[in-house]
Amino acid sequence: MDELSLDYNLARTSGDHRSRLNAIRAQAAIDPYTTSYILANTAMANGRPREALEAFAETDLDDPLWQQWQHFWWLLAQTHFEVGQYEEQLVAARTGRERFPENPLHPRHEGQALIGLGRLEDLEALLGEIEAYQPGPQNRNPGSVFHLLAADLIRFGYADRGSALAERALAWFEAQGPDTYTVPKAQALQLAGRPEEAVPLLRARVEEHPDTVAWRGQLGVVLATVGDTVGAEAEERWLRELDRPYLRGVHTYWQAAILAHLDRKDEAVRVLRQSFAEGRARIGRTIDPNLMPLWHHEAFERLVAPRG
């Protein structure tokens, strides 16, 4: 087990998801119970939600270990979503919210399941509850949850409702101050049909921190959206030429996002496949708002479809 654990962690450091999966599969063959969560997580990174569900089946959901681990319930809900099991996703999300009521990522999955089920009236009631959450680190805040759910609505064919929810996300972001939540605010502006407003916001951040990959990538996306092909291609080139260790596919992911918005879809899919090979996790890519121009593109849908 120690040798396999070392193999797993070496593969994790290098971003080699396939080798990680093989190592944790071997560990699970020896000790399926205590490795089940890590196997599920690694299977999801490889785009294999059905294997993840098989791993979850090895766990006792009433075990205090899982009851105290927030990410367990988030991942279980996400896994059900990836295979279209929205009722099961709803149960997992509500269980997570009951046990960890301060984390808005659980109601995000609850809302996502309601969208998948077409229960938009129930979603509207949930949005009011989400708005009352206190902001936490990273994307654990009402504005970010709203903008992610806005993308979900658009993906499921509710474009007008998605745009309206993006506006609600922007209202929340603006209330927090002008220098906060740069990337989700820029994404919400795009979903709301106001990408030109994101350009100065991102330019200011890039001028302050020119080596921040996410800001350079998001700037390239909005430049492509507003028709500034020269500017977008410059950001894509900067990412392509970036020589920095341990990026694990983050730079190529943003390259793919820019290329998608430049309507170079086949090239975008090729680079996104490269990003996965370099260590970018596959989880959540089917509804990733940065990849929206690729939605319904045949090669993209094949690439992000569940693999097992």
Side-chain angles (χ1 to χ4, degrees):
M1 287 291 281
D2 287 344
E3 289 177 356
L4 290 168
S5 180
L6 178 61
D7 291 343
Y8 174 87
N9 284 295
L10 287 171
R12 184 179 184 183
T13 300
S14 65
D16 185 347
H17 289 303
R18 182 170 302 194
S19 294
R20 280 179 63 201
L21 183 58
N22 288 335
I24 195 62
R25 280 170 173 165
Q27 287 183 289
I30 300 169
D31 181 5
Y33 187 77
T34 59
T35 58
S36 58
Y37 169 79
I38 303 175
L39 175 55
N41 193 25
T42 309
M44 287 294 283
N46 281 272
R48 304 181 66 85
R50 294 184 184 89
E51 183 173 355
L53 287 174
E54 291 174 5
F56 277 124
E58 295 289 340
T59 65
D60 175 4
L61 299 185
D62 293 323
D63 189 315
L65 172 64
W66 308 128
Q67 292 182 21
Q68 297 172 29
W69 200 348
Q70 294 199 40
H71 196 266
F72 175 91
W73 298 99
W74 179 91
L75 184 67
L76 180 59
Q78 180 71 35
T79 304
H80 284 304
F81 172 78
E82 295 284 347
V83 294
Q85 296 177 351
Y86 306 126
E87 290 283 5
E88 291 84 350
Q89 180 189 18
L90 188 60
V91 171
R94 286 177 170 171
T95 303
R97 182 152 77 117
E98 178 182 340
R99 294 179 177 177
F100 304 97
E102 76 287 351
N103 188 341
L105 290 185
H106 298 300
R108 183 275 161 114
H109 273 290
E110 188 175 343
Q112 192 177 58
L114 291 172
I115 293 168
L117 293 166
R119 293 167 53 180
L120 300 189
E121 290 185 4
D122 292 337
L123 173 67
E124 193 59 39
L126 177 65
L127 295 176
E129 298 177 34
I130 292 172
E131 199 157 23
Y133 273 73
Q134 293 298 311
Q138 298 179 337
N139 58 349
R140 297 183 182 185
N141 62 78
S144 292
V145 173
F146 283 166
H147 112 262
L148 291 171
L149 287 173
D152 295 335
L153 282 164
I154 295 170
R155 180 67 151 135
F156 276 83
Y158 305 107
D160 290 344
R161 288 178 179 264
S163 179
L165 186 53
E167 291 285 1
R168 193 167 173 180
L170 288 169
W172 189 91
F173 288 136
E174 290 301 325
Q176 312 310 306
D179 297 324
T180 57
Y181 304 105
T182 299
V183 169
K185 188 186 300 184
Q187 293 173 356
L189 283 165
Q190 284 191 276
L191 295 174
R194 296 159 52 187
E196 66 282 349
E197 296 178 42
V199 174
L201 175 71
L202 288 162
R203 280 201 191 280
R205 296 293 178 270
V206 169
E207 288 173 3
E208 293 170 4
H209 303 281
D211 293 328
T212 302
V213 172
W215 288 346
R216 297 293 294 260
Q218 195 71 64
L219 176 59
V221 166
V222 297
L223 289 174
T225 305
V226 301
D228 184 351
T229 302
V230 173
E233 289 178 341
E235 297 303 329
E236 188 273 333
R237 184 167 56 253
W238 182 86
L239 291 161
R240 179 168 16 101
E241 296 174 353
L242 190 60
D243 184 13
R244 189 184 299 173
Y246 300 112
L247 287 169
R248 299 187 185 90
V250 174
H251 61 313
T252 39
Y253 160 78
W254 282 109
Q255 267 186 266
I258 295 171
L259 290 167
H261 283 81
L262 287 170
D263 202 29
R264 293 158 59 180
K265 294 180 182 178
D266 289 335
E267 188 177 356
V269 172
R270 178 184 61 77
V271 175
L272 185 62
R273 183 179 291 109
Q274 177 185 343
S275 175
F276 293 154
E278 292 171 345
R280 191 71 170 175
R282 290 174 176 265
I283 184 171
R285 296 301 156 217
T286 58
I287 40 85
D288 186 340
N290 290 315
L291 303 174
M292 189 181 296
L294 297 177
W295 293 355
H296 310 300
H297 182 65
E298 183 178 354
F300 170 76
E301 298 293 353
R302 284 199 309 269
L303 178 63
V304 299
R307 306 169 71 193

